[in-house]
Structure formats: C-alpha cells, structure tokens
Amino acid sequence: MRASANVLKMTVAPKLNDVLQSLPMNVPVNLFRRFDQLCIHFLWNGKRARIHLKKLQQRGDHGGLGIPNLLLYHYAFCLRHLAQWYLPPERALPWFTAEAHYCPDLPLAAYLSASLPPAAQDHPVLSCLRGVWRKTAKILNFDPFLNTLSHGLRPICSTSLRNHGLKP
C-alpha cells in the first residue's frame, strides 16, 4: 500500500495541484470527493477500505501515509493568492490591478468581510477567494471578519496591533 500511496503523492497530486494553483476558481466539492473515492479504489485495489482515508491523509509520524487532500491544497493555493493582496503596490502582481478594478472603494482585503459591490458579486476569482477565506475560518476556528484595528488591513501580526497593546 505504501507504494500506491507514493504513486498518488509523487505523480497524480502534482499534476492536479498544477491545475488548482493556476487560477483561484470555485471548484465543485464533488470533484474532490470523486478524487478521494478514486484514491480509495486505487489504494485498496477495488476492495473494501480497511482504514479510513482521513487517517491515511495524515502525516507519517501521526500514523498516516501522507495521501494528499486536494481540498486543503486548493484552500492553501487560494490563501496564497489572498496573501499577495497584502504586498506593497510596487511588488503587486499584474493581475492585482484587474481585480482591484472591480472593487474601487476599499482595498481588496476589506472585501473578505465587507459586502461586495454589485459589479464584483459575480466575479469568479473574488467570490472564490471570499468563500475559501470563510471556509478556512470555519476549519481553523477563527473569526473571518477582519479586525477594525488592522489599520490599512495589514496582517494580524503587524506592528500597528502591537502598538495598541495586542499580541499577535
């Protein structure tokens, strides 16, 4: 089974991750469920699974085989895209201005917790990133709405929060 797990980790997952990281778009959850079903079928040679896939997706030192969880990879790729919203303007990527065009009133990061303007509600990238932000907040159990003390919507660990007596 370890050899099959390595095939999934080293051949299949990188190809799918390449597609997932190219553009942050809404991907139906059914696609990830189907991938998990195919993994189970491949790992157990079509027989009934004896160990739950969630256990196999854990790291080796936690008793798993490190089978990739594509849904979490997708969330990580989208969060990386969100992190780039915090870059200074001189380091911003070319697509940043295209996304900012749909939300001219506030910085893009403000729309994680504010309502989107009508022009941006159907924007596939902005709506996807906002949904992933909220799903990640639910998984990691934190408040998805940004703090008003964030002064310009810098990350939580910014020095401006320390000036208010808050520890990151």
Side-chain angles (χ1 to χ4, degrees), residues 75-151:
Y75 289 169
F77 295 138
C78 289
L79 291 174
R80 183 191 65 182
H81 190 88
L82 278 176
Q84 292 170 348
W85 284 2
Y86 289 100
L87 291 175
E90 62 273 3
R91 292 187 52 211
L93 298 174
W95 47 257
F96 182 79
T97 54
E99 289 175 357
H101 173 73
Y102 285 94
C103 304
D105 300 332
L106 291 171
L108 278 174
Y111 289 105
L112 293 175
S113 51
S115 60
L116 289 171
Q121 287 178 355
D122 293 330
H123 192 275
V125 173
L126 294 176
S127 62
C128 169
L129 294 176
R130 190 175 168 162
V132 166
W133 174 255
R134 291 191 173 153
K135 290 173 189 171
T136 304
K138 187 175 181 181
I139 291 170
L140 298 177
N141 198 21
F142 68 86
D143 185 15
F145 301 104
L146 295 176
N147 192 332
T148 56
L149 294 176
S150 60
H151 296 294

Side-chain angles (χ1 to χ4, degrees), residues 6-27:
N6 285 336
V7 167
L8 287 174
K9 287 192 289 189
M10 293 184 228
T11 2
V12 178
K15 292 176 183 179
L16 293 174
N17 284 341
D18 189 42
V19 173
L20 288 175
Q21 72 181 335
S22 62
L23 190 61
M25 300 291 282
N26 280 326
V27 180

